Amino acid sequence: MIRSIADVDVSGKRVLTRVDLNVPQDEAQMITDDTRIVESLPTIRSIIDRGGVAVLMSHLGRPKGKHNTTYSLAPVAERLASLLHLPVAFAPDCIGAETLSIVNAATGGSVVLLENLRFHAEEEANDAAFAAELAKNGDIYCNDAFGTAHRAHASTAGVASLFAERCAGLLMQKELAYLGEALTAPKRPLVAVMGGSKISGKIDVIMSLLSKCDTILIGGGMMFTFLKARGADVGSSLVEEDRLALAADLLAQAEARGVRLLIPTDTVAATAFSNDAERAVVSTSEIPSGRMGLDIGPATIASFTHEILQAGTVVWNGPMGVFEMSNFEAGTRAVAEAMAEATAKGAITIVGGGDSAAAIAQFGLTHAVTHVSTGGGASLEFLEGKVLPGVDALRI
Ligand code: AMP
């Protein structure tokens, strides 16, 4: 069983909370997107509103195990304070005597943010002694960082077992509820929409979805490896030659299991990988040589939209085309709009993190779907059916 922070008595206790405050910043360390800080507020408020001390720990960027002011969480402490309308005490390290004295001086209802965990190489090594040092800063452990739950690090895995009282934060709980339910007890039909550049990063997830889904829609660069595996001419579209056999195997498995695996029938094919390149809608069975498919075409958009609108549950991971270029965003936009429409009709719609989350934000539809996962890699591993170490460590 995994307890929720909402069910733990935190009054007067120090709650050592792993949050994901890994926000993007510009060269002047100005935060360019504070979504992750905003997403962590419900758990922080749940702790401080009930008289607990929220002792927050996170990583930021890749400082490679060394102290580096470029990756300091100090600007995050400031933004957090302004969002909470409360002072946030900032500890200059995540372990050590000075940190402990700052944490212990904090009274119920206050917030302390520890400096970047990855200033210590022991964090990513899941070092036991380092985890024990971290553990000194709390009476209760809470993990609200779904985005790093697929990594066994000291702050996500090692430290958890040192606490009798350990629990999931509200954001983590939401992720587990939506992603878990989508897979174990989905409202059917369960439709998966898979895209992105390559099959290689998503083989395991497609395999796993084959045993659960009713329909799988394939778009993005990965569609051309499937098309070529079926014998089509794909011009100069992205193809993973070393995955052709695998793609053929996935097609055969889908057929054997009675899963409908839909491959686009048309594509927007351009003369170069550029927004300004000459482009034309062509059938995927005859992409002219010298042309590359950079988006799904209108007939495919109509068919995918139809499938999404029939679904009880939709899980989406990966863009349908090069959505970063305006001339090749239509397919991805159409999927995002169909997801929003399906949601309004009562379907459960889930967007995996990473590029699909960026795409749905680009179209202003983040709040029109049931759930947008905060963890790209973590949500993929979850959909693959893997045990996430940061989640497993919370079990009591
Ligand atoms: P991934 O990281 O594998 O999820 O892939 C995301 C990237 O795939 C995005 O940056 C898209 O621009 C890219 N992408 C989508 N469709 C295509 C395509 N047809 N050809 C090349 N790249 C694509």
Side-chain angles (χ1 to χ4, degrees), residues 131-148:
E133 283 300 306
L134 284 176
K136 289 180 182 167
N137 297 309
D139 307 304
I140 297 167
Y141 172 75
C142 173
N143 191 348
D144 206 26
F146 179 74
T148 47

Side-chain angles (χ1 to χ4, degrees), residues 133-382:
E133 283 300 306
L134 284 176
K136 289 180 182 167
N137 297 309
D139 307 304
I140 297 167
Y141 172 75
C142 173
N143 191 348
D144 206 26
F146 179 74
T148 47
H150 58 316
R151 305 274 178 246
H153 293 167
S155 67
T156 60
V159 76
S161 60
L162 304 175
F163 288 85
E165 287 211 88
R166 49 184 188 263
C167 60
L170 303 176
L171 179 61
M172 171 76 90
Q173 243 194 320
K174 202 166 96 181
E175 294 274 9
L176 298 178
Y178 283 123
L179 294 173
E181 213 160 286
L183 294 184
T184 50
K187 214 166 108 184
R188 290 195 181 268
L190 170 57
V191 176
V193 188
M194 295 300 293
S197 57
K198 294 178 175 171
I199 302 187
S200 42
K202 293 179 185 162
I203 300 164
D204 293 340
V205 75
I206 298 175
M207 288 280 191
S208 155
L209 290 171
L210 274 174
S211 66
K212 300 182 177 87
C213 292
D214 302 294
T215 304
I216 301 180
L217 313 177
I218 300 281
M222 67 165 72
M223 72 194 209
F224 301 104
T225 303
F226 282 101
L227 285 161
K228 189 158 184 188
R230 278 201 321 208
D233 224 333
V234 297
S236 47
S237 306
L238 187 68
V239 168
E240 289 174 277
E241 297 287 343
D242 57 342
R243 301 285 187 232
L244 288 171
L246 175 88
D249 182 46
L250 289 172
L251 289 166
Q253 280 201 38
E255 192 165 348
R257 288 170 181 271
V259 174
R260 297 167 62 236
L261 198 143
L262 304 192
I263 312 286
T265 53
D266 60 350
T267 180
V268 182
T271 48
F273 191 83
S274 155
N275 195 39
D276 307 319
E278 204 271 300
R279 61 189 194 281
V281 173
V282 301
S283 159
T284 50
S285 58
E286 45 199 51
I287 301 173
S289 69
R291 285 199 178 249
M292 59 182 79
L294 296 181
D295 197 5
I296 57 175
T300 306
I301 286 179
S303 131
F304 283 12
T305 299
H306 175 78
E307 295 294 335
I308 291 168
L309 293 179
Q310 304 290 311
T313 306
V314 190
V315 178
W316 178 28
N317 191 295
M320 295 293 98
V322 187
F323 74 102
E324 300 92 335
M325 298 184 196
S326 59
N327 285 331
F328 306 105
E329 66 161 39
T332 306
R333 179 188 287 276
V335 163
E337 286 172 353
M339 298 259 306
E341 200 180 330
T343 316
K345 282 176 50 184
I348 304 291
T349 55
I350 295 160
V351 181
D355 276 311
S356 348
I360 200 146
Q362 180 174 312
F363 306 130
L365 292 169
T366 301
H367 301 290
V369 295
T370 311
H371 180 64
V372 179
S373 177
T374 52
S379 74
L380 270 181
E381 291 198 15
F382 199 93

